[in-house]
Coordinates of all heavy atoms in Angstrom, one line a residue:
M1 N 0.9 -1.2 0.0 CA 0.0 0.0 0.0 C 0.9 1.2 0.0 O 1.6 1.5 0.9 CB -0.9 0.0 1.2 CG -1.9 1.1 1.3 SD -3.2 0.8 2.5 CE -2.4 1.3 4.0
S2 N 0.8 2.0 -1.0 CA 1.7 3.1 -1.2 C 1.1 4.4 -0.7 O 1.8 5.4 -0.5 CB 2.1 3.3 -2.6 OG 1.0 3.6 -3.4
E3 N -0.2 4.4 -0.4 CA -0.9 5.6 0.1 C -0.5 5.9 1.6 O -0.4 4.9 2.4 CB -2.4 5.5 0.0 CG -2.8 5.5 -1.5 CD -4.3 5.4 -1.6 OE1 -5.0 6.2 -0.9 OE2 -4.8 4.6 -2.4
K4 N -0.4 7.1 1.9 CA -0.2 7.5 3.3 C -1.5 8.1 3.9 O -2.1 8.9 3.2 CB 0.9 8.6 3.4 CG 2.3 8.0 3.2 CD 2.7 7.2 4.4 CE 4.1 7.3 4.8 NZ 4.4 6.7 6.0
F5 N -1.8 7.7 5.1 CA -3.0 8.2 5.7 C -2.6 9.0 7.0 O -1.6 8.7 7.6 CB -4.0 7.1 6.2 CG -4.6 6.4 5.0 CD1 -4.0 5.1 4.6 CD2 -5.6 6.9 4.3 CE1 -4.6 4.4 3.6 CE2 -6.1 6.2 3.2 CZ -5.6 4.9 2.9
F6 N -3.4 10.0 7.4 CA -3.3 10.6 8.7 C -3.5 9.6 9.7 O -4.3 8.7 9.6 CB -4.2 11.7 8.9 CG -4.0 13.0 8.0 CD1 -4.8 13.2 6.9 CD2 -2.9 13.8 8.2 CE1 -4.5 14.3 6.1 CE2 -2.6 14.8 7.4 CZ -3.5 15.1 6.4
T7 N -2.8 9.7 10.8 CA -2.9 8.7 11.9 C -3.2 9.5 13.2 O -2.9 10.7 13.3 CB -1.7 7.8 12.1 OG1 -0.6 8.6 12.4 CG2 -1.4 7.0 10.9
Y8 N -3.8 8.8 14.1 CA -4.1 9.4 15.5 C -3.8 8.2 16.5 O -4.5 7.2 16.4 CB -5.5 9.9 15.6 CG -5.8 10.5 17.0 CD1 -5.3 11.7 17.3 CD2 -6.6 9.8 17.9 CE1 -5.5 12.3 18.6 CE2 -6.8 10.4 19.1 CZ -6.3 11.6 19.5 OH -6.6 12.2 20.7
K9 N -2.8 8.4 17.3 CA -2.5 7.4 18.3 C -2.3 6.0 17.7 O -2.7 5.0 18.2 CB -3.5 7.4 19.5 CG -3.5 8.7 20.2 CD -4.3 8.6 21.4 CE -4.3 9.9 22.3 NZ -5.0 9.8 23.5
G10 N -1.6 6.0 16.6 CA -1.2 4.7 15.9 C -2.2 4.0 15.0 O -1.9 3.0 14.4
Y11 N -3.3 4.6 14.8 CA -4.3 4.1 13.8 C -4.6 5.1 12.7 O -4.6 6.3 13.0 CB -5.6 3.8 14.6 CG -5.6 2.6 15.5 CD1 -5.5 2.9 16.9 CD2 -5.5 1.3 15.1 CE1 -5.4 1.8 17.8 CE2 -5.4 0.2 16.0 CZ -5.4 0.5 17.4 OH -5.3 -0.5 18.3
P12 N -4.9 4.6 11.5 CA -5.1 5.5 10.4 C -6.5 6.1 10.5 O -7.5 5.5 11.0 CB -5.0 4.6 9.2 CG -5.3 3.3 9.7 CD -4.8 3.2 11.1
L13 N -6.6 7.4 10.0 CA -7.9 8.1 9.9 C -8.2 8.4 8.4 O -7.4 8.8 7.7 CB -7.7 9.5 10.5 CG -7.8 9.6 12.0 CD1 -7.3 10.9 12.5 CD2 -9.1 9.2 12.6
V14 N -9.4 8.0 8.0 CA -9.8 8.3 6.6 C -11.2 9.1 6.7 O -12.1 8.6 7.3 CB -10.0 7.0 5.8 CG1 -10.5 7.3 4.4 CG2 -8.7 6.2 5.7
R15 N -11.2 10.2 6.1 CA -12.4 11.1 6.2 C -13.0 11.3 4.9 O -12.4 11.4 3.9 CB -12.1 12.5 6.8 CG -13.3 13.3 6.9 CD -13.0 14.6 7.6 NE -14.3 15.4 7.7 CZ -14.5 16.4 8.5 NH1 -13.5 16.8 9.2 NH2 -15.6 17.0 8.5
N16 N -14.4 11.2 4.8 CA -15.1 11.4 3.6 C -16.4 12.2 4.1 O -17.3 11.7 4.7 CB -15.6 10.1 3.0 CG -16.3 10.3 1.7 OD1 -16.2 11.4 1.1 ND2 -17.1 9.4 1.3
G17 N -16.3 13.5 3.9 CA -17.4 14.4 4.3 C -17.5 14.4 5.8 O -16.6 14.7 6.5
N18 N -18.7 14.0 6.3 CA -18.9 14.0 7.7 C -18.7 12.6 8.4 O -19.2 12.3 9.4 CB -20.3 14.4 8.0 CG -20.5 15.9 7.9 OD1 -19.5 16.7 7.9 ND2 -21.7 16.4 7.7
Q19 N -18.0 11.7 7.6 CA -17.7 10.4 8.2 C -16.2 10.2 8.3 O -15.5 10.5 7.4 CB -18.3 9.4 7.2 CG -19.8 9.5 7.0 CD -20.3 8.4 6.1 OE1 -20.1 7.2 6.3 NE2 -20.9 8.8 5.0
I20 N -15.8 9.6 9.4 CA -14.4 9.3 9.6 C -14.3 7.8 10.0 O -15.1 7.3 10.8 CB -13.9 10.1 10.8 CG1 -14.0 11.6 10.4 CG2 -12.4 9.7 11.1 CD1 -13.7 12.5 11.5
Y21 N -13.4 7.1 9.3 CA -13.1 5.7 9.7 C -11.8 5.7 10.4 O -10.8 6.3 9.9 CB -13.1 4.8 8.4 CG -14.5 4.6 7.9 CD1 -15.0 5.5 6.9 CD2 -15.3 3.6 8.3 CE1 -16.2 5.3 6.4 CE2 -16.6 3.5 7.8 CZ -17.1 4.4 6.9 OH -18.3 4.2 6.4
Y22 N -11.7 5.0 11.5 CA -10.5 5.0 12.4 C -10.1 3.5 12.6 O -10.9 2.7 13.1 CB -10.9 5.7 13.7 CG -9.7 5.8 14.7 CD1 -8.6 6.5 14.4 CD2 -9.8 5.1 15.9 CE1 -7.5 6.6 15.3 CE2 -8.8 5.2 16.9 CZ -7.7 5.9 16.5 OH -6.6 6.1 17.4
G23 N -8.9 3.2 12.1 CA -8.4 1.8 12.3 C -8.1 1.2 11.0 O -8.3 1.8 9.9
Y24 N -7.5 0.0 11.0 CA -7.1 -0.7 9.8 C -8.2 -1.6 9.4 O -8.8 -2.4 10.2 CB -5.9 -1.6 10.1 CG -4.6 -0.8 10.4 CD1 -4.2 -0.5 11.7 CD2 -3.8 -0.3 9.4 CE1 -3.1 0.2 12.0 CE2 -2.7 0.4 9.7 CZ -2.3 0.7 10.9 OH -1.2 1.4 11.2
M25 N -8.6 -1.5 8.1 CA -9.7 -2.3 7.6 C -9.4 -3.8 7.6 O -10.3 -4.6 7.6 CB -10.1 -1.8 6.2 CG -10.8 -0.5 6.2 SD -12.3 -0.5 7.0 CE -12.8 1.2 6.9
A26 N -8.1 -4.1 7.7 CA -7.7 -5.5 7.7 C -7.9 -6.1 9.1 O -7.9 -7.4 9.3 CB -6.3 -5.7 7.2
D27 N -8.1 -5.3 10.1 CA -8.3 -5.8 11.5 C -9.8 -6.2 11.7 O -10.6 -5.8 10.9 CB -8.0 -4.7 12.5 CG -6.5 -4.4 12.7 OD1 -5.7 -5.3 12.3 OD2 -6.2 -3.4 13.3
P28 N -10.1 -7.0 12.7 CA -11.4 -7.5 12.9 C -12.4 -6.4 13.2 O -13.6 -6.5 13.0 CB -11.4 -8.4 14.1 CG -9.9 -8.7 14.3 CD -9.1 -7.6 13.7
Y29 N -12.0 -5.2 13.7 CA -12.9 -4.1 14.1 C -12.3 -2.8 13.6 O -11.1 -2.6 13.5 CB -13.1 -4.1 15.6 CG -13.7 -5.3 16.2 CD1 -13.0 -6.3 16.7 CD2 -15.1 -5.5 16.1 CE1 -13.6 -7.4 17.3 CE2 -15.7 -6.6 16.5 CZ -15.0 -7.6 17.2 OH -15.6 -8.7 17.6
V30 N -13.2 -1.9 13.3 CA -12.9 -0.5 12.9 C -13.9 0.4 13.6 O -15.0 -0.1 13.9 CB -12.8 -0.4 11.4 CG1 -14.2 -0.5 10.8 CG2 -12.1 0.9 11.0
I31 N -13.5 1.6 13.7 CA -14.5 2.6 14.4 C -14.9 3.6 13.3 O -14.1 4.1 12.5 CB -13.8 3.4 15.5 CG1 -13.3 2.5 16.5 CG2 -14.9 4.4 16.1 CD1 -14.3 1.6 17.3
W32 N -16.3 3.8 13.2 CA -16.9 4.7 12.3 C -17.4 5.9 13.1 O -18.1 5.7 14.1 CB -18.0 4.1 11.5 CG -18.9 5.0 10.7 CD1 -18.4 5.9 9.8 CD2 -20.3 5.1 10.7 NE1 -19.5 6.6 9.2 CE2 -20.7 6.0 9.7 CE3 -21.3 4.4 11.4 CZ2 -22.0 6.4 9.5 CZ3 -22.6 4.7 11.1 CH2 -22.9 5.7 10.2
I33 N -16.9 7.1 12.8 CA -17.4 8.3 13.5 C -18.1 9.2 12.5 O -17.6 9.5 11.5 CB -16.2 9.1 14.1 CG1 -15.4 8.3 15.1 CG2 -16.7 10.4 14.7 CD1 -14.1 8.9 15.5
Q34 N -19.4 9.4 12.9 CA -20.2 10.3 12.0 C -20.4 11.6 12.8 O -20.9 11.7 13.9 CB -21.6 9.6 11.8 CG -22.5 10.4 10.9 CD -23.8 9.7 10.7 OE1 -24.3 8.9 11.5 NE2 -24.5 9.9 9.6
I35 N -20.1 12.7 12.1 CA -20.3 14.1 12.6 C -21.7 14.5 12.4 O -22.2 14.5 11.3 CB -19.3 15.1 12.0 CG1 -17.9 14.6 12.2 CG2 -19.6 16.5 12.5 CD1 -16.8 15.4 11.5
L36 N -22.5 14.6 13.5 CA -23.9 14.9 13.4 C -24.2 16.4 13.5 O -25.2 16.9 12.9 CB -24.7 14.2 14.6 CG -24.5 12.7 14.6 CD1 -25.2 12.2 15.9 CD2 -25.1 12.1 13.3
A37 N -23.4 17.2 14.1 CA -23.6 18.6 14.3 C -22.3 19.3 14.5 O -21.4 18.8 15.1 CB -24.6 18.9 15.4
T38 N -22.3 20.6 14.0 CA -21.1 21.4 14.2 C -21.6 22.8 14.8 O -22.8 23.1 14.7 CB -20.4 21.7 12.9 OG1 -21.2 22.3 12.0 CG2 -19.8 20.4 12.3
A39 N -20.7 23.5 15.4 CA -21.0 24.8 16.0 C -19.9 25.7 15.7 O -18.7 25.3 15.4 CB -21.3 24.7 17.5
K40 N -20.1 27.0 15.8 CA -19.1 28.0 15.5 C -18.4 28.3 16.9 O -19.0 28.5 17.9 CB -19.6 29.3 14.9 CG -20.2 29.0 13.6 CD -19.7 30.0 12.6 CE -20.4 29.8 11.3 NZ -19.5 29.6 10.2
N41 N -17.1 28.4 16.9 CA -16.4 28.8 18.1 C -16.1 30.3 18.1 O -16.6 31.0 17.2 CB -15.0 27.9 18.2 CG -14.0 28.2 17.2 OD1 -14.2 29.2 16.4 ND2 -12.9 27.5 17.2
E42 N -15.3 30.8 19.1 CA -15.1 32.2 19.2 C -14.4 32.8 18.0 O -14.5 33.9 17.7 CB -14.3 32.5 20.5 CG -15.0 32.1 21.8 CD -14.9 30.7 22.2 OE1 -13.8 30.0 21.8 OE2 -15.8 30.2 22.8
A43 N -13.5 32.0 17.4 CA -12.8 32.4 16.2 C -13.6 32.4 14.9 O -13.1 32.8 13.8 CB -11.5 31.6 16.0
G44 N -14.9 31.9 15.0 CA -15.7 31.8 13.9 C -15.6 30.6 13.0 O -16.2 30.4 12.0
E45 N -14.7 29.6 13.5 CA -14.5 28.4 12.8 C -15.5 27.3 13.2 O -16.0 27.3 14.4 CB -13.1 27.9 13.0 CG -12.0 28.8 12.5 CD -10.6 28.2 12.8 OE1 -10.5 27.0 13.2 OE2 -9.7 29.0 12.7
E46 N -15.9 26.5 12.3 CA -16.8 25.4 12.7 C -16.1 24.3 13.4 O -15.0 23.9 12.9 CB -17.5 24.8 11.4 CG -18.6 25.7 10.9 CD -19.6 24.9 10.0 OE1 -19.4 23.7 9.8 OE2 -20.4 25.6 9.4
V47 N -16.6 23.8 14.5 CA -16.0 22.7 15.3 C -17.1 21.7 15.5 O -18.3 22.0 15.6 CB -15.4 23.2 16.6 CG1 -14.2 24.1 16.4 CG2 -16.4 23.9 17.5
T48 N -16.7 20.4 15.7 CA -17.7 19.4 15.9 C -18.3 19.5 17.3 O -17.6 19.7 18.3 CB -16.9 18.0 15.8 OG1 -16.3 17.9 14.6 CG2 -17.9 16.8 16.0
S49 N -19.6 19.4 17.3 CA -20.3 19.5 18.6 C -21.1 18.2 19.0 O -21.4 18.0 20.2 CB -21.2 20.7 18.6 OG -22.2 20.5 17.6
K50 N -21.4 17.4 18.0 CA -22.1 16.1 18.3 C -21.7 15.1 17.3 O -21.6 15.3 16.1 CB -23.6 16.3 18.3 CG -24.4 15.1 18.7 CD -25.9 15.4 18.8 CE -26.6 14.2 19.3 NZ -28.1 14.4 19.4
V51 N -21.4 13.9 17.8 CA -20.9 12.8 17.0 C -21.6 11.5 17.3 O -22.2 11.3 18.4 CB -19.4 12.6 17.1 CG1 -18.6 13.8 16.6 CG2 -19.0 12.2 18.5
R52 N -21.6 10.6 16.4 CA -22.0 9.2 16.7 C -20.7 8.3 16.5 O -20.0 8.4 15.5 CB -23.1 8.7 15.7 CG -23.4 7.3 15.9 CD -24.5 6.8 14.9 NE -25.8 7.5 15.3 CZ -26.5 8.2 14.3 NH1 -26.2 8.1 13.1 NH2 -27.6 8.8 14.7
V53 N -20.4 7.5 17.5 CA -19.2 6.7 17.4 C -19.7 5.2 17.4 O -20.5 4.8 18.3 CB -18.3 6.9 18.7 CG1 -17.1 6.0 18.6 CG2 -17.9 8.3 18.8
V54 N -19.3 4.5 16.4 CA -19.8 3.1 16.2 C -18.6 2.2 16.0 O -17.7 2.4 15.1 CB -20.7 3.0 14.9 CG1 -21.1 1.6 14.7 CG2 -21.9 3.9 15.1
Q55 N -18.6 1.1 16.8 CA -17.6 0.0 16.6 C -18.2 -1.0 15.6 O -19.3 -1.4 15.8 CB -17.2 -0.6 17.9 CG -16.2 -1.8 17.7 CD -16.0 -2.4 19.0 OE1 -16.1 -1.9 20.1 NE2 -15.5 -3.7 19.0
M56 N -17.4 -1.2 14.5 CA -18.0 -2.1 13.5 C -17.1 -3.4 13.3 O -15.9 -3.3 13.4 CB -18.0 -1.4 12.2 CG -19.0 -0.2 12.2 SD -19.0 0.7 10.6 CE -19.9 -0.5 9.6
D57 N -17.8 -4.5 13.1 CA -17.1 -5.7 12.8 C -16.8 -5.8 11.3 O -17.7 -5.7 10.4 CB -18.0 -6.9 13.1 CG -17.4 -8.3 13.0 OD1 -16.4 -8.4 12.2 OD2 -17.9 -9.2 13.5
T58 N -15.5 -5.8 10.9 CA -15.2 -5.8 9.5 C -15.4 -7.1 8.7 O -15.4 -7.1 7.5 CB -13.7 -5.4 9.3 OG1 -12.9 -6.3 10.0 CG2 -13.4 -4.0 9.8
N59 N -15.7 -8.2 9.5 CA -15.9 -9.4 8.8 C -17.4 -9.7 8.5 O -17.8 -10.7 7.9 CB -15.4 -10.6 9.7 CG -13.9 -10.5 9.8 OD1 -13.2 -10.2 8.8 ND2 -13.4 -10.7 11.0
E60 N -18.3 -8.8 9.0 CA -19.7 -9.0 8.9 C -20.1 -8.4 7.5 O -19.8 -7.3 7.2 CB -20.5 -8.4 10.0 CG -22.0 -8.5 9.9 CD -22.5 -9.9 10.0 OE1 -22.1 -10.6 10.9 OE2 -23.2 -10.2 9.0
T61 N -20.9 -9.2 6.8 CA -21.4 -8.7 5.4 C -22.6 -7.8 5.6 O -22.8 -6.9 4.7 CB -21.7 -9.9 4.5 OG1 -22.6 -10.7 5.1 CG2 -20.4 -10.6 4.2
D62 N -23.4 -8.0 6.5 CA -24.6 -7.2 6.7 C -24.3 -6.0 7.5 O -23.9 -6.1 8.7 CB -25.7 -8.0 7.5 CG -27.0 -7.3 7.6 OD1 -27.1 -6.1 7.2 OD2 -27.9 -7.8 8.2
P63 N -24.4 -4.7 7.0 CA -23.9 -3.5 7.7 C -24.7 -3.3 9.0 O -24.1 -2.8 9.9 CB -24.3 -2.4 6.7 CG -24.6 -3.0 5.4 CD -24.9 -4.5 5.6
I64 N -25.9 -3.7 9.1 CA -26.6 -3.5 10.3 C -26.1 -4.4 11.4 O -25.9 -4.0 12.6 CB -28.1 -3.8 10.1 CG1 -28.7 -2.8 9.1 CG2 -28.9 -3.6 11.5 CD1 -28.6 -1.3 9.5
K65 N -25.8 -5.7 11.1 CA -25.3 -6.6 12.1 C -23.8 -6.3 12.4 O -23.3 -6.8 13.4 CB -25.3 -8.0 11.5 CG -26.8 -8.6 11.5 CD -26.8 -10.0 10.9 CE -28.2 -10.5 10.7 NZ -28.2 -11.8 10.1
A66 N -23.1 -5.5 11.5 CA -21.7 -5.2 11.8 C -21.6 -4.2 13.0 O -20.5 -4.1 13.6 CB -21.1 -4.6 10.6
F67 N -22.6 -3.5 13.3 CA -22.6 -2.5 14.5 C -22.4 -3.3 15.8 O -23.3 -4.1 16.1 CB -23.8 -1.7 14.6 CG -23.9 -0.6 13.5 CD1 -23.2 -0.7 12.3 CD2 -24.7 0.5 13.7 CE1 -23.2 0.3 11.4 CE2 -24.7 1.5 12.8 CZ -24.0 1.4 11.6
V68 N -21.3 -3.2 16.4 CA -21.1 -3.9 17.7 C -21.4 -3.0 18.9 O -22.0 -3.4 19.8 CB -19.6 -4.4 17.8 CG1 -19.3 -5.0 19.1 CG2 -19.3 -5.3 16.6
K69 N -20.9 -1.8 18.8 CA -21.1 -0.9 19.9 C -21.5 0.5 19.3 O -20.9 0.9 18.3 CB -19.8 -0.7 20.7 CG -19.9 -0.4 22.1 CD -18.6 -0.2 22.8 CE -18.1 -1.5 23.4 NZ -17.0 -1.3 24.2
N70 N -22.4 1.3 19.9 CA -22.8 2.5 19.3 C -23.1 3.5 20.4 O -23.7 3.2 21.5 CB -24.2 2.2 18.6 CG -24.7 3.3 17.8 OD1 -24.3 4.5 17.9 ND2 -25.6 3.1 17.0
A71 N -22.6 4.8 20.2 CA -22.9 5.8 21.2 C -23.0 7.2 20.5 O -22.2 7.4 19.6 CB -21.7 5.8 22.2
E72 N -23.9 8.0 20.9 CA -24.0 9.3 20.4 C -23.6 10.2 21.6 O -24.0 10.0 22.7 CB -25.5 9.7 20.1 CG -25.8 9.3 18.7 CD -27.1 9.9 18.2 OE1 -27.5 10.9 18.7 OE2 -27.7 9.2 17.3
R73 N -22.7 11.2 21.3 CA -22.2 12.0 22.3 C -22.2 13.5 21.8 O -21.9 13.7 20.7 CB -20.7 11.6 22.6 CG -20.6 10.2 23.0 CD -19.9 10.1 24.3 NE -19.7 8.7 24.5 CZ -19.7 8.1 25.7 NH1 -19.8 8.8 26.7 NH2 -19.5 6.8 25.8
E74 N -22.4 14.4 22.7 CA -22.2 15.8 22.4 C -20.8 16.1 22.9 O -20.6 16.4 24.1 CB -23.3 16.6 23.1 CG -24.6 16.4 22.6 CD -25.6 17.5 22.8 OE1 -25.2 18.6 23.1 OE2 -26.8 17.2 22.7
C75 N -19.9 16.0 22.0 CA -18.5 16.3 22.3 C -17.7 16.7 21.0 O -18.3 16.6 19.9 CB -17.8 15.0 22.9 SG -17.7 13.6 21.8
G76 N -16.5 17.1 21.2 CA -15.7 17.5 20.1 C -15.0 16.2 19.4 O -15.1 15.1 19.9
L77 N -14.4 16.4 18.4 CA -13.7 15.4 17.6 C -12.6 14.7 18.4 O -12.5 13.5 18.3 CB -13.2 15.9 16.3 CG -12.8 14.9 15.3 CD1 -13.9 13.8 15.0 CD2 -12.4 15.6 14.0
Y78 N -11.8 15.4 19.1 CA -10.7 14.8 19.9 C -11.3 13.8 21.0 O -10.7 12.8 21.1 CB -9.9 15.9 20.5 CG -9.0 16.5 19.5 CD1 -9.1 17.9 19.3 CD2 -8.0 15.8 18.9 CE1 -8.3 18.5 18.4 CE2 -7.2 16.4 17.9 CZ -7.3 17.8 17.7 OH -6.5 18.4 16.8
E79 N -12.3 14.2 21.6 CA -12.9 13.3 22.6 C -13.5 12.1 22.0 O -13.3 10.9 22.5 CB -14.0 14.0 23.4 CG -14.6 13.2 24.5 CD -15.6 13.9 25.4 OE1 -15.6 15.2 25.4 OE2 -16.4 13.2 26.0
A80 N -14.1 12.2 20.8 CA -14.6 11.1 20.0 C -13.5 10.2 19.6 O -13.7 8.9 19.7 CB -15.4 11.6 18.8
L81 N -12.4 10.7 19.2 CA -11.2 9.9 18.8 C -10.6 9.2 20.0 O -10.2 8.0 19.9 CB -10.2 10.7 18.1 CG -10.6 11.2 16.7 CD1 -9.6 12.2 16.2 CD2 -10.6 9.9 15.7
D82 N -10.7 9.8 21.2 CA -10.2 9.1 22.4 C -11.1 8.0 22.7 O -10.6 6.9 23.1 CB -10.0 10.1 23.5 CG -8.8 11.0 23.4 OD1 -7.9 10.7 22.7 OD2 -8.8 12.1 24.1
I83 N -12.4 8.1 22.6 CA -13.3 7.0 22.8 C -13.1 5.9 21.9 O -13.0 4.7 22.2 CB -14.8 7.5 22.7 CG1 -15.1 8.5 23.9 CG2 -15.8 6.4 22.7 CD1 -16.4 9.3 23.6
A84 N -12.9 6.3 20.6 CA -12.6 5.3 19.6 C -11.3 4.5 19.8 O -11.3 3.3 19.6 CB -12.5 6.0 18.2
K85 N -10.3 5.2 20.3 CA -9.1 4.6 20.6 C -9.2 3.5 21.7 O -8.7 2.4 21.6 CB -8.0 5.6 21.0 CG -6.8 5.1 21.6 CD -5.8 4.6 20.6 CE -4.4 4.4 21.3 NZ -4.0 3.1 21.2
V86 N -9.9 3.9 22.7 CA -10.2 2.9 23.8 C -11.0 1.7 23.4 O -10.6 0.5 23.7 CB -10.9 3.6 25.0 CG1 -11.4 2.6 26.1 CG2 -10.0 4.7 25.7
W87 N -12.0 1.9 22.6 CA -12.9 0.9 22.1 C -12.0 -0.1 21.2 O -12.1 -1.3 21.3 CB -14.1 1.4 21.3 CG -15.2 1.9 22.1 CD1 -15.2 2.1 23.5 CD2 -16.4 2.4 21.6 NE1 -16.4 2.7 23.9 CE2 -17.2 2.9 22.7 CE3 -17.0 2.5 20.4 CZ2 -18.4 3.4 22.6 CZ3 -18.3 3.0 20.3 CH2 -19.0 3.4 21.4
L88 N -11.3 0.5 20.3 CA -10.5 -0.3 19.4 C -9.4 -1.1 20.1 O -9.2 -2.3 19.8 CB -9.8 0.6 18.4 CG -9.5 0.1 17.0 CD1 -10.8 -0.6 16.4 CD2 -9.1 1.2 16.1
D89 N -8.7 -0.5 21.1 CA -7.7 -1.2 21.8 C -8.3 -2.4 22.6 O -7.7 -3.5 22.6 CB -7.0 -0.3 22.9 CG -6.0 0.7 22.2 OD1 -5.6 0.4 21.0 OD2 -5.6 1.6 22.8
K90 N -9.5 -2.2 23.2 CA -10.1 -3.3 23.9 C -10.6 -4.4 23.0 O -10.4 -5.6 23.3 CB -11.3 -2.8 24.7 CG -10.9 -2.0 26.0 CD -12.2 -1.6 26.7 CE -11.8 -0.8 28.0 NZ -13.0 -0.4 28.7
A91 N -11.1 -4.0 21.9 CA -11.7 -5.0 20.9 C -10.5 -5.8 20.3 O -10.7 -7.0 20.1 CB -12.4 -4.3 19.8
L92 N -9.4 -5.2 20.0 CA -8.3 -5.9 19.3 C -7.4 -6.6 20.3 O -6.6 -7.5 19.9 CB -7.5 -4.9 18.5 CG -8.3 -4.2 17.4 CD1 -7.4 -3.2 16.7 CD2 -8.8 -5.2 16.3
A93 N -7.6 -6.4 21.6 CA -6.7 -7.1 22.6 C -7.2 -8.5 22.8 O -6.5 -9.3 23.4 CB -6.7 -6.3 23.9
V94 N -8.4 -8.8 22.5 CA -9.0 -10.2 22.7 C -8.5 -11.2 21.8 O -8.0 -11.0 20.8 CB -10.6 -10.1 22.6 CG1 -11.2 -11.4 22.7 CG2 -11.1 -9.1 23.5

């Protein structure tokens, strides 16, 4: 694989619009983060204000059954990525 991806705490990040995939697709689990809402901060920039974090089984063919763990949070992107990191570390340690 010759493409380089951004990484966060050792796992790759791939973003497409309001969706972010976190983790290696070859692993048994990956995290899908969907940005549900944004807000403007003091500098006038848009920042994430609400996300959905989903742990997905990469071996499951049915997308609905692939959802292992699901949470909606009113938080920023960094907090969502920290949640994703913990979930991924626990799922891959088994």
Side-chain angles (χ1 to χ4, degrees):
M1 184 164 83
S2 63
E3 294 182 46
K4 285 291 218 172
F5 294 102
F6 290 107
T7 60
Y8 181 74
K9 295 189 177 182
Y11 293 105
L13 285 167
V14 178
R15 181 174 180 165
N16 182 20
N18 286 341
Q19 300 181 56
I20 299 169
Y21 290 91
Y22 182 62
Y24 293 97
M25 290 297 176
D27 286 344
Y29 297 99
V30 69
I31 304 295
W32 171 50
I33 300 172
Q34 183 180 25
I35 299 170
L36 301 175
T38 58
K40 298 233 184 234
N41 66 6
E42 295 83 30
E45 297 178 16
E46 283 198 7
V47 295
T48 303
S49 61
K50 186 173 184 181
V51 296
R52 176 179 294 133
V53 182
V54 178
Q55 180 182 334
M56 298 179 69
D57 183 345
T58 57
N59 296 320
E60 181 59 55
T61 56
D62 183 0
I64 300 300
K65 291 180 183 176
F67 286 22
V68 175
K69 208 183 268 192
N70 185 348
E72 275 190 28
R73 306 233 183 210
E74 293 201 20
C75 66
L77 190 53
Y78 285 117
E79 187 177 337
L81 286 169
D82 284 341
I83 293 165
K85 168 80 165 118
V86 170
W87 285 7
L88 209 50
D89 284 346
K90 285 183 179 180
L92 298 175
V94 176

